[in-house]
Amino acid sequence: MNIGDASKQSNLPPKTIRYYEDIGLIKPLRDANGYRSFRERDVHKLVFLARSRALGFTIEDCRNLLALWDDQTRASADVRAIAQDHLSQIENKITDLQAIHNTLSQLVHDCAGDHRPDCPILKTLETFPKTT
Amino acid sequence: MNIGDASKQSNLPPKTIRYYEDIGLIKPLRDANGYRSFRERDVHKLVFLARSRALGFTIEDCRNLLALWDDQTRASADVRAIAQDHLSQIENKITDLQAIHNTLSQLVHDCAGDHRPDCPILKTLETFPKTT
DNA sequence: ATAGGGATTCCAGTCACTGGAGGGTCAAGG
DNA sequence: CCTTGACCCTCCAGTGACTGGAATCCCTAT
């Protein structure tokens, strides 16, 4: 299977697939003409990668998850640890974003948004304390 | 004022301040010895930048906000538009992260996390549909 | 004179791709 | 047989917003 079909099956752009080969996440074969030749196993890995990335795992997370996936003797605890760690990071990020959202939506709410030069948003950006 | 003091007052690392000068966000003067010399106005801008960045505005947003801040005749509507746009992006991001959080916490919950090789997390990464 | 702490520039690396140039390969139609 | 157009290849450079490090210079105090 050529890269175009692998791309369609995995929903990853060809550029990204080549990049994943570059950094050693997949190792497709090569045809005589130099074209990459993707086996079922390669496509399966690409699908796995697409989904892991969609859940926000980093490439290094993915590399570890793939290694565990390949390893028939892995302990599920190892996988769980990676996922749990990632989950905490997501929770922190959501908390941060919600704080930012609160501050910013208050600002937008307070702003008349008319033609006058007086703007509470800019005023606050000058003066509000770091920890709000 | 030297860069070290400007750094302390704005809570930005010196490297970042030099970078902000590189990309034209601030224009400190220079002393005879080549050291950057920060006026009140420069430090004020740095504080503004630190706070805007902490609220997640991009550098280009900040550039626009600073221009508006400098412009005595600006309309508050212009500022509000940037903030409103940014707010929508934050809302989208929170929604995405919450969906990811739901999926992932379910996975972690389902996973025994013991020494056995059977792992529902890896299984799901192979098979769950893109739009969950 | 020397030691330290600060300042300078410039180059390179991060993360995860993405865009583009410049070229080779293949199947179908004229 | 030739051309067209859709693929495919590699390699280089750029993104955003810094950050690290090397090599060097400046200033102050002992």
Side-chain angles (χ1 to χ4, degrees), chain B residues 42-62:
Chain B
D42 299 316
V43 175
H44 210 166
K45 278 195 183 185
L46 288 174
V47 170
F48 184 100
L49 285 167
R51 287 166 179 169
S52 308
R53 293 285 303 126
L55 287 179
F57 286 97
T58 66
I59 289 286
E60 284 319 299
D61 283 339
C62 290

Side-chain angles (χ1 to χ4, degrees), chain A residues 83-101:
Chain A
Q84 181 65 67
D85 185 68
H86 181 44
L87 196 53
S88 320
Q89 288 177 36
I90 288 170
E91 282 164 7
N92 289 341
K93 201 149 212 172
I94 289 176
T95 306
D96 288 354
L97 279 177
Q98 267 163 353
I100 289 172
H101 182 269

Side-chain angles (χ1 to χ4, degrees), chain B residues 51-104:
Chain B
R51 287 166 179 169
S52 308
R53 293 285 303 126
L55 287 179
F57 286 97
T58 66
I59 289 286
E60 284 319 299
D61 283 339
C62 290
R63 199 188 294 279
N64 292 329
L65 289 171
L66 267 185
L68 291 169
W69 188 54
D70 273 344
D71 177 3
Q72 293 304 317
T73 71
R74 88 242 154 176
S76 72
D78 294 342
V79 180
R80 194 174 195 266
I82 295 176
Q84 180 66 65
D85 185 68
H86 182 43
L87 196 54
S88 321
Q89 287 177 37
I90 289 171
E91 280 162 11
N92 289 341
K93 203 152 213 172
I94 289 176
T95 305
D96 288 353
L97 279 177
Q98 266 162 354
I100 289 171
H101 182 270
N102 288 346
T103 303
L104 203 55

Side-chain angles (χ1 to χ4, degrees), chain A residues 4-42:
Chain A
D5 292 322
S7 166
K8 266 164 214 146
Q9 293 211 24
S10 61
N11 243 346
L12 289 170
K15 278 266 181 189
T16 302
I17 296 176
R18 293 194 192 99
Y19 172 70
Y20 285 169
E21 186 189 9
D22 270 3
I23 63 174
L25 288 179
I26 51 165
K27 294 183 179 38
L29 303 174
R30 294 291 177 135
D31 287 339
N33 56 15
Y35 287 18
R36 287 169 185 80
S37 175
F38 294 83
R39 292 152 293 180
E40 278 303 308
R41 194 156 61 89
D42 298 316

Side-chain angles (χ1 to χ4, degrees), chain B residues 27-42:
Chain B
K27 294 183 178 36
L29 303 175
R30 294 291 178 135
D31 286 339
N33 57 12
Y35 286 18
R36 286 168 186 80
S37 176
F38 294 83
R39 292 153 292 179
E40 279 303 310
R41 195 157 63 88
D42 299 316

